[in-house]
Each structure stands twice: as structure tokens, then as C-alpha cells.
Amino acid sequence: MKEGKAFLKSKMKWVGLVGLVLSVFSLFVHFLLARFTEDGFSEYQSSITIFSWRPVFEATDLSRTSPLYRRLWGPVGQLESLHPHANPKGYYADPSAQSNGYIFVRIQGGFHEIRSSICDVVAVSRFLNATLVVPEIQQTTSKKGISSQFKSFAYLYNEETFMAALVKDVNIVKTLPKSLKSARRNKEIPVFRVPYAASPYYYLHSVLPILIKHSVVELVVSDGGCLQAILPPDLEEYQSLRCRVAFHALRFRQDVQDLATNILHRLRAPGRPFIAFDPGMTRDALAYHGCSELFQDVHAELIQHRRAWMRKRGIIKGQLSVNSAKQRLKGSCPLTPEEVGILLRAYGYSWDTIIYVTGGEVFGGQRTLIPLHGLFENVVDRTSLSTSWELSRIYGREANLDESYPRAPPSAQVETKLDAWKNSGPRPRPLPPPPARPKTYNIEGWWGWVAESDNEPESTVVELRTNAHKLLWEAIDYTVAVEADVFIPGFDSDGKGHPNFASLVMGHRLYQSAASKTYRPDRKEVVRLLDQIHGHIYHANHSWLTSIRRHMRSSLIDGLIEASNKSKSSSLLSHPVPECSCLRPNPSETLPNASTPSVHLQVHAALGVVHRCPAWMDGEKNLSSNEKDNEEDIDENDPSSSRLFLQHAGSHDAGGEDINLKEESQFEDQEEDGGD
């Protein structure tokens, strides 16, 4: 009997052991599947972590046909007739098999400068009948710590797609022939450091003769563009070529594009539209425009230090000390995240609207975004919508660096211990202080060198690697911002006075889907309106809210027309109309008794659009109708408007949803009555 019990216990132990082994094996298999199966892993992460921290949306889900929804999220009716058209509009020959030589290009700068420069050098190569070598991006090739599995251009863009898309435009090769490679290594080929926005005739008279003589030239492009934005009428096809490069040939490499697509899916998972917001608050932009006093503490000193550096190099010619308050009143400084948040809330976007913050840098750090988080519950970015593993995977196989990240500063008691050690009497004596640590500076943190030196230290290897990673971060943000339901910029100029990241996004949206809502607020007017209620900004009166809403609505069209006069002269990609667009009027606009054709025609005339879309586009479905005539009417008599900024405080209470329902029904009633 005892032997039977012992045998039974032994058998049960073996069964338990086998079960344990199978469980461990099952976990191991699931780990491998999650680790190496991209789609499954992404869906798993999306279902578990993405948006899990967000509150349930309490505002009423608006019908897509309601006037309020159309005003906040719907297309801009006056721009629905504009369509992308970057194909040649006349006779356009294939590139000649007998070229004048090779053009090798080195491009320096950030994301938006690289993108603009690539489009320009393709047009220059076509103009000179030259063979273009795939450009070299200095942000990656000249920096240490970057994965060697990617070539320079392929670190950011898909090289094969780029070459295939332009096969009928220009001859492109991956590398120079061997004989010219050795000549370049020996610095025997002529080098041109081309000026910003150079004339086509500069290349015709200065570069072409040297190209023909040596069969190769090297161009160094450093300011974000090497060809003037507005070309003579006889070079109209080169404008279309630049659009084909920017909007069709330049595709991000596949794994970067896949991650951006996953982030877009996660943003749209709740079934609600979202806003993309680019602050544009970089250190260089703030220094160039003299906006240091928008910040406090060490940040203002850092901006002034950068401005002094720019003055030494001739980037700016103004005074070192600038009255930032006057610059702000002139509209020369970025709108802060808080100011943009107030604009959006005043226009009618509810506190639970999803805001996606783009851009590789927000100077001042996350504390600058705290007011925006206070106004909107769901402020997210690429880091909150992806895992660290997904982000690190796009960097490639980077080697571990010997250099470690800066450590915490030594304790304040070290100096006291050192004095006690020197001045103490006979034993027992206090322990000696730890050995002195080498000074380390964290450029992304508090910039400790400012208090001790007038010279900014050289970037560490870790920081150089991070700068290259920013190209990938901005590629992800660019994709999300172009596809967003609404886009609003905080600033539209970079650290050299040229169109910035946000400008390229607005230009791409104008080309791809002109009717999508893209606000272009007049910063001077916004500052004036905000200063009117500076002391009680979160308890705004109804007339002020009406003024804000009028301005936001007008910025959809007036801001676009203003950009055609302002941004267009600096960058075609920031305003590719009319060269890369065509007009396809809706049938309703041609009716003799139509009420809106005159408004639409005025907008088209102001933008200079004269090309009619080709016949094959006429078969596409016409977008809409008489319903959109009132899509942007504002609610001037809404009695609940003054409570707009207070809604969030009570939104978690039992009556919060009732307030939302009442407010939104009043919005709809007012707009259906007519608006202004």
C-alpha cells in the first residue's frame, strides 16, 4: 500500500515537471513570435499599451454630416477643386543618353534642408544634362556612431524608389565610376559651394563649362536649397520636376515608413480624427528671430549665445540684444504651445481632442508643453505611440559606444569634506573625498557649460548619433502630419529665415489634398487678440471668442494666399501652387444661379491656378455639394462659449456629458441658422 502511494506521488511529480517544462516552452515560443513577427508584435503592443492611459471620450461623437463636425474637421470647400498634377504639361523629352558629366552632391543640414536640397539638385542635373550621383547626406556620413548597414542617402530615403521614379527625368547612378572615385579621394575634382537659391544661369555660366571640361563637379549644398524657388516661365517644367521629386520620388526607407504607418493606425484606433501640431520652437529659430525673452533662466542665455554665434558667422546682421516683446508683437516669434492650445479650444475643439506633437526638438523641453497638456487631455507624440524596441529597430545595427551618458553631478558636500580633510587635527580624520570626475555636459539638458565658458563644447559621439536619429524622428512626424485631419503650425521659419519643417508639411498637404484643414494663423493678429484678455485668458468673453473663430476660419484661405506671397519666394515645396496643381470645378459651381462660384473663382485667381485638369480626372467622383456651403459658418450667438475653457474641470463629474451635449447641440442649431 505504501509502495503504491509512493509510486503515485512520484508519477504526479513527473507530470508536474512535464507541465512546467511545457509552460516555459510555450512562453518562449510566444516571446519569439512577438519579437520577430513585426505585424503581430505591433498589434499586440497596440492592443495592450496604446491609449491605455487615456480617459474614455466623454464628448458626444459628432455625426460626420453635422455642421459642427464639418466646421472642425471637414474639408475646405473653396479648395476642393484643386488637385495634384505634377506631370509634364507639354513636350518633355527623356534624359539624353550622352550626358555632360557627373554631379556629385554633399548636402548639409537638417530634415527640411535635406529634402529641399535634393529636389533642387535633381532639377539642376536635368538643366545641365548631367548624370546625378545619389546625393550624400552629411548628417549621417560625417557623424560617428551611425549604423554602417545604411549608406548615406539610404539612411533616410528609399534609394531604389528614388532612382526608379525619376528614370524619365534624369540619369541617376549610385556611385561615381572608379576613375573619378580616385580623383575625388585625391581632391582633384572641382568643388562648388553653391549659394542659397542660386539662379539657373549661375549653373549655366559657372558650373556647366567646368563640368564639360572635367566630366565631374562636386556641389556642396548647406543652406537648404541651391535653386531659386520661382523660375522663369520657360522653365515651368522644372517646377513640376521638383514636385515629382518631393511628393513622389522621395519615399522614406521601408522600416521607417512602416513605423509611421503603425503610429497612424494607433492614432486612428479610437475612431476619432486628430490634430497634428508642430511647435517650431528650435533654438536656432528663436536665436535668429531674437525671441530669447520668451524663456527664463538658462534658456534665454543659451539662445543669446547662439545668436552671438550666428552674428560672428554672418548668418544674421542685426543687434545681439533684441527686444523680444516687440518681436512677438510683430509676429516674428513662434506661438507658444499654450497659445496654440487656446486658439484650438476657442475655435471649438473639445478637451479630449487628440493632439499629435511633431518635430525633432521643442526648445525648453517638456515643461514648455505642460500648458498644452492642461488644455487637452490627449497630447501624444511618437514616443507615446511606439515602443522603445520599435524605435531602436529603425536605427540599424549600431555599435555600443565606450562613452557613457553624463552622470549626475557630484554631491554638494564634496567641497566641505575636502576642507575638513585638510584642516582636521589628529586622527580620527574624516574620509577623503572621492576622486575628481571629468566634466561632462548634457546638451539636451541644462547646458552646464554656459555658466563657465563662452565657447560651446564639441558635441559628444552620443549627441552626434542623436542628431542623426532626429532625421528619422522627423521622417515619422512628417508622414503623420501630412496625413492628419487638421494641421496647425506654431512657426513657419527656421534658424536661417527659410521655410521650416512645418512649411514643408503645409506644402505637401496643399499638393496632396488641398481641401484638408490646414490653419495658417497670422501670429501678429493672434498676439493682439491674446493680449486683449491677458489677465483673464481662461474666462474669455463671447465677443473675443467670436474674433478668434473668425480669424481661425479666415486663416484657412487668407493664410494660404499670404503664403503665396511670402513663403513661395523662398521655397516651392512650401507652396507648390499653381505649378503643381490643376483645376477641376464641380458641376454645381458652373450653374448660372450658383451662389458660391464667385468666391471660389476669386480664391483660384488669387492662387494663380489656370491649368485645367486632364480629361482622365473627370471620371473621378466629385466631392460634394451644397451641404458644405455652410461648413465654416461660425456660431456668433452661442451662449455657452464663455464656458469653453472651464469644461475640462467639470468633465469628469456626473453632469459633464450633459454639458457637452447641450453645448454641441447649441453649436449645431446656431450654424444651421446661417452663421455670418
Side-chain angles (χ1 to χ4, degrees), residues 67 633-639 663-676:
D633 292 343
I634 57 175
D635 42 314
E636 296 185 11
N637 301 312
D638 179 10
E663 178 179 314
E664 290 170 3
S665 64
Q666 288 174 337
F667 269 128
E668 295 182 13
D669 292 342
Q670 298 293 337
E671 296 203 12
E672 288 174 355
D673 290 341
D676 63 345

Short mmCIF file of all heavy atoms in Angstrom, two decimals, residues 67 633-639 663-676:
data_model
loop_
_atom_site.label_atom_id
_atom_site.label_comp_id
_atom_site.label_asym_id
_atom_site.label_seq_id
_atom_site.Cartn_x
_atom_site.Cartn_y
_atom_site.Cartn_z
N PRO A 67 -23.15 70.20 -38.95
CA PRO A 67 -22.42 71.44 -39.25
C PRO A 67 -21.18 71.62 -38.38
O PRO A 67 -20.16 72.11 -38.85
CB PRO A 67 -23.47 72.52 -38.98
CG PRO A 67 -24.78 71.83 -39.13
CD PRO A 67 -24.57 70.44 -38.65
N ASP A 633 -19.41 78.21 -41.25
CA ASP A 633 -20.13 79.27 -40.56
C ASP A 633 -19.87 79.19 -39.08
O ASP A 633 -19.92 78.13 -38.48
CB ASP A 633 -21.64 79.14 -40.81
CG ASP A 633 -21.99 79.42 -42.26
OD1 ASP A 633 -21.14 80.02 -42.94
OD2 ASP A 633 -23.09 79.04 -42.69
N ILE A 634 -19.61 80.33 -38.47
CA ILE A 634 -19.30 80.32 -37.05
C ILE A 634 -20.53 80.68 -36.24
O ILE A 634 -21.47 81.31 -36.74
CB ILE A 634 -18.14 81.28 -36.72
CG1 ILE A 634 -18.47 82.69 -37.17
CG2 ILE A 634 -16.87 80.83 -37.35
CD1 ILE A 634 -17.44 83.69 -36.78
N ASP A 635 -20.51 80.29 -35.00
CA ASP A 635 -21.66 80.45 -34.13
C ASP A 635 -21.48 81.70 -33.30
O ASP A 635 -20.94 81.67 -32.21
CB ASP A 635 -21.81 79.22 -33.23
CG ASP A 635 -20.47 78.77 -32.72
OD1 ASP A 635 -19.53 78.68 -33.53
OD2 ASP A 635 -20.35 78.54 -31.51
N GLU A 636 -21.97 82.80 -33.79
CA GLU A 636 -21.71 84.07 -33.12
C GLU A 636 -22.54 84.25 -31.86
O GLU A 636 -22.19 85.06 -31.00
CB GLU A 636 -21.98 85.22 -34.09
CG GLU A 636 -21.05 85.21 -35.29
CD GLU A 636 -21.27 86.42 -36.17
OE1 GLU A 636 -21.98 87.34 -35.72
OE2 GLU A 636 -20.74 86.45 -37.28
N ASN A 637 -23.65 83.54 -31.73
CA ASN A 637 -24.55 83.78 -30.61
C ASN A 637 -24.59 82.62 -29.64
O ASN A 637 -25.58 82.42 -28.95
CB ASN A 637 -25.96 84.05 -31.14
CG ASN A 637 -26.00 85.25 -32.07
OD1 ASN A 637 -25.46 86.29 -31.72
ND2 ASN A 637 -26.64 85.10 -33.23
N ASP A 638 -23.52 81.84 -29.59
CA ASP A 638 -23.51 80.68 -28.71
C ASP A 638 -23.31 81.12 -27.27
O ASP A 638 -22.25 81.59 -26.89
CB ASP A 638 -22.37 79.75 -29.14
CG ASP A 638 -22.29 78.53 -28.25
OD1 ASP A 638 -23.23 78.34 -27.46
OD2 ASP A 638 -21.30 77.79 -28.35
N PRO A 639 -24.34 81.00 -26.40
CA PRO A 639 -24.22 81.48 -25.02
C PRO A 639 -23.29 80.65 -24.17
O PRO A 639 -22.90 81.06 -23.10
CB PRO A 639 -25.67 81.39 -24.50
CG PRO A 639 -26.29 80.30 -25.32
CD PRO A 639 -25.66 80.40 -26.67
N GLU A 663 -23.89 71.97 -25.13
CA GLU A 663 -23.03 72.92 -25.86
C GLU A 663 -23.01 72.60 -27.35
O GLU A 663 -23.15 73.48 -28.20
CB GLU A 663 -21.62 72.87 -25.29
CG GLU A 663 -20.64 73.78 -26.02
CD GLU A 663 -19.27 73.72 -25.40
OE1 GLU A 663 -19.20 73.80 -24.16
OE2 GLU A 663 -18.30 73.61 -26.15
N GLU A 664 -22.87 71.32 -27.68
CA GLU A 664 -22.72 70.96 -29.08
C GLU A 664 -24.04 71.08 -29.83
O GLU A 664 -24.06 71.41 -31.01
CB GLU A 664 -22.14 69.56 -29.19
CG GLU A 664 -20.68 69.54 -28.75
CD GLU A 664 -20.13 68.14 -28.61
OE1 GLU A 664 -20.88 67.19 -28.90
OE2 GLU A 664 -18.98 68.02 -28.20
N SER A 665 -25.16 70.80 -29.14
CA SER A 665 -26.44 70.98 -29.81
C SER A 665 -26.68 72.45 -30.12
O SER A 665 -27.24 72.80 -31.16
CB SER A 665 -27.57 70.42 -28.94
OG SER A 665 -27.68 71.16 -27.73
N GLN A 666 -26.24 73.33 -29.20
CA GLN A 666 -26.38 74.76 -29.46
C GLN A 666 -25.50 75.18 -30.64
O GLN A 666 -25.88 76.00 -31.46
CB GLN A 666 -26.02 75.55 -28.21
CG GLN A 666 -27.07 75.44 -27.12
CD GLN A 666 -26.64 76.11 -25.84
OE1 GLN A 666 -25.46 76.29 -25.59
NE2 GLN A 666 -27.59 76.49 -25.02
N PHE A 667 -24.29 74.61 -30.69
CA PHE A 667 -23.42 74.88 -31.84
C PHE A 667 -24.15 74.56 -33.15
O PHE A 667 -24.17 75.34 -34.09
CB PHE A 667 -22.16 74.01 -31.77
CG PHE A 667 -21.02 74.65 -31.06
CD1 PHE A 667 -20.37 73.98 -30.03
CD2 PHE A 667 -20.57 75.91 -31.43
CE1 PHE A 667 -19.30 74.55 -29.38
CE2 PHE A 667 -19.50 76.48 -30.78
CZ PHE A 667 -18.86 75.81 -29.76
N GLU A 668 -24.73 73.36 -33.20
CA GLU A 668 -25.37 72.91 -34.43
C GLU A 668 -26.57 73.80 -34.77
O GLU A 668 -26.77 74.17 -35.93
CB GLU A 668 -25.80 71.46 -34.30
CG GLU A 668 -24.62 70.50 -34.15
CD GLU A 668 -25.07 69.06 -34.07
OE1 GLU A 668 -26.25 68.81 -34.35
OE2 GLU A 668 -24.25 68.21 -33.73
N ASP A 669 -27.37 74.15 -33.76
CA ASP A 669 -28.54 74.98 -34.01
C ASP A 669 -28.13 76.33 -34.58
O ASP A 669 -28.73 76.84 -35.52
CB ASP A 669 -29.34 75.19 -32.71
CG ASP A 669 -29.99 73.89 -32.25
OD1 ASP A 669 -30.09 72.96 -33.08
OD2 ASP A 669 -30.36 73.80 -31.07
N GLN A 670 -27.09 76.93 -33.99
CA GLN A 670 -26.65 78.24 -34.44
C GLN A 670 -26.16 78.17 -35.88
O GLN A 670 -26.45 79.05 -36.69
CB GLN A 670 -25.52 78.75 -33.53
CG GLN A 670 -25.91 78.94 -32.06
CD GLN A 670 -26.92 80.06 -31.90
OE1 GLN A 670 -27.01 80.94 -32.73
NE2 GLN A 670 -27.70 80.03 -30.82
N GLU A 671 -25.38 77.14 -36.21
CA GLU A 671 -24.79 77.08 -37.54
C GLU A 671 -25.84 76.76 -38.60
O GLU A 671 -25.74 77.21 -39.73
CB GLU A 671 -23.67 76.04 -37.57
CG GLU A 671 -22.54 76.45 -36.65
CD GLU A 671 -21.24 75.79 -37.05
OE1 GLU A 671 -21.18 75.20 -38.13
OE2 GLU A 671 -20.30 75.88 -36.26
N GLU A 672 -26.83 75.95 -38.24
CA GLU A 672 -27.87 75.65 -39.22
C GLU A 672 -28.70 76.89 -39.53
O GLU A 672 -29.30 77.01 -40.60
CB GLU A 672 -28.77 74.53 -38.70
CG GLU A 672 -28.05 73.17 -38.72
CD GLU A 672 -28.88 72.10 -38.07
OE1 GLU A 672 -29.94 72.44 -37.52
OE2 GLU A 672 -28.47 70.93 -38.11
N ASP A 673 -28.73 77.85 -38.58
CA ASP A 673 -29.48 79.09 -38.82
C ASP A 673 -28.75 80.01 -39.80
O ASP A 673 -29.33 80.96 -40.29
CB ASP A 673 -29.70 79.84 -37.50
CG ASP A 673 -30.69 79.08 -36.62
OD1 ASP A 673 -31.43 78.24 -37.18
OD2 ASP A 673 -30.71 79.32 -35.40
N GLY A 674 -27.46 79.78 -40.03
CA GLY A 674 -26.82 80.59 -41.05
C GLY A 674 -25.45 81.07 -40.76
O GLY A 674 -24.65 81.20 -41.64
N GLY A 675 -25.06 81.37 -39.53
CA GLY A 675 -23.72 81.89 -39.30
C GLY A 675 -23.64 83.33 -39.73
O GLY A 675 -24.52 84.12 -39.59
N ASP A 676 -22.45 83.70 -40.30
CA ASP A 676 -22.28 85.10 -40.68
C ASP A 676 -22.47 85.26 -42.17
O ASP A 676 -21.98 86.14 -42.77
CB ASP A 676 -20.90 85.60 -40.24
CG ASP A 676 -19.78 84.86 -40.95
OD1 ASP A 676 -20.03 83.80 -41.54
OD2 ASP A 676 -18.67 85.36 -40.89
#
